[in-house]
Amino acid sequence: MKFIIPKIPFILSVLLSLSLLLLFFFAFPSSSLLRPSAAGDIRIRRRYSSYDAYIHHQLNKTLNPKLRKVWTTRDWDRKVRVFSSFFLRLRSRGLLSNHSKCLSIGARVGQEVAALRRIGVPDAIGIDLVASPPLVVEGDFHAQPFPRDTFDFEFSNVFDHALYPEKFVGEIERTLKPGGVCVLHVSTSGRTDKYSANDLLSVKPLVQLFRESKLLQVRKIDGFGLDTELVFRKKKS
């Protein structure tokens, strides 16, 4: 017995460890986990009881009447002007043209779409959880309501709101045409709001999520609290 008794605590600890491991995988299924290469610098802020709970939390911001009034009045001209300057720079570099079919992801009330149309890019539309006609249609960026290879150009500044970053990027690459361009504005300083679903601590894991695209440029910007612009081009083959 003197050789058996010391082994009992060890066996119990192993069984306990296995139980905790199984509990972890059942509580957080693989679809909700980041790939190990991305997990370090993309941190999901919280877990929701369901996807509907996450959507409800996001709608608290999207449908906030005070915010929507600000977006459509006081902020409108300023944001359209700044977005226009961003898009003009991209057009001057040949990354956007007047004939591009464009999508703005997480467009709220459509300031980015209005900016594209102002600079002479008429074929532009936005998606958000709530439609804002005529500039924004209803759509979830985790499952875009468009066929494969639809757009020449996609823009978003709401990556921090993605609960599933891989799905967010995967939908961009699915709906972007081969040779098409994607531009993301992100924060790597943690300066996001309470509705953000993730924190991006460096651009490296975000770049790794783009499996079908090549990174063209990373530069610092001042984009309404966001500090970094990344430009990708989807590979043609």
Side-chain angles (χ1 to χ4, degrees):
M1 293 296 293
K2 65 180 179 180
F3 296 105
I4 297 175
I5 292 173
K7 293 183 180 180
I8 294 175
F10 173 74
I11 294 170
L12 289 175
S13 66
V14 170
L15 291 174
L16 180 60
S17 297
L18 289 173
S19 299
L20 290 174
L21 186 61
L22 289 171
L23 178 63
F24 174 83
F25 280 107
F26 280 113
F28 306 109
S30 58
S31 62
S32 69
L33 294 175
L34 295 169
R35 293 184 296 122
S37 60
D41 284 351
I42 302 180
R43 297 178 183 173
I44 302 302
R45 287 191 177 183
R46 57 181 286 188
R47 299 290 174 179
Y48 293 89
S49 59
S50 66
Y51 190 68
D52 284 343
Y54 157 76
I55 293 295
H56 179 74
H57 182 66
Q58 295 300 312
L59 286 173
N60 286 338
K61 179 175 183 178
T62 303
L63 294 175
N64 185 305
K66 292 182 179 179
L67 288 176
R68 293 188 75 83
K69 183 176 181 180
V70 169
W71 293 336
T72 55
T73 56
R74 188 182 70 198
D75 274 3
W76 181 266
D77 287 338
R78 177 174 67 95
K79 288 196 173 182
V80 170
R81 183 175 66 253
V82 173
F83 283 127
S84 295
S85 68
F86 283 131
F87 296 141
L88 283 169
R89 182 181 183 278
L90 293 166
R91 190 173 65 180
S92 71
R93 298 186 60 222
L95 300 172
L96 173 67
S97 79
N98 290 1
H99 303 291
S100 296
K101 186 177 180 67
C102 301
L103 174 67
S104 175
I105 302 164
R108 304 297 186 198
V109 293
Q111 295 146 333
E112 304 95 319
V113 180
L116 284 164
R117 295 182 180 185
R118 175 179 288 187
I119 68 169
V121 185
D123 196 355
I125 195 69
I127 60 168
D128 206 283
L129 292 174
V130 176
S132 219
L135 302 179
V136 181
V137 299
E138 182 179 343
D140 182 346
F141 54 50
H142 289 121
Q144 289 187 23
F146 307 109
R148 180 179 296 275
D149 302 341
T150 298
F151 299 101
D152 302 292
F153 179 88
E154 298 193 25
F155 171 82
S156 184
N157 59 2
V158 296
F159 175 78
D160 59 295
H161 288 261
L163 182 62
Y164 301 117
E166 288 198 42
K167 289 184 178 181
F168 179 93
V169 172
E171 283 297 277
I172 290 174
E173 293 194 311
R174 182 183 66 82
T175 58
L176 198 61
K177 295 178 182 178
V181 171
C182 168
V183 178
L184 297 183
H185 287 181
V186 299
S187 171
T188 58
S189 62
R191 295 177 182 175
T192 51
D193 62 29
K194 65 181 181 180
Y195 297 99
S196 296
N198 71 75
D199 291 306
L200 184 67
L201 305 183
S202 77
V203 299
K204 183 179 179 180
L206 176 53
V207 173
Q208 290 176 340
L209 293 179
F210 279 85
R211 303 174 185 178
E212 301 178 27
S213 306
K214 178 181 179 181
L215 178 66
L216 300 182
Q217 178 181 313
V218 179
R219 74 182 184 104
K220 290 297 180 182
I221 59 166
D222 181 9
F224 307 110
L226 305 178
D227 53 49
T228 305
E229 179 181 84
L230 296 94
V231 181
F232 298 87
R233 188 186 296 278
K234 184 176 176 179
K235 298 172 185 176
K236 292 186 178 182
S237 60

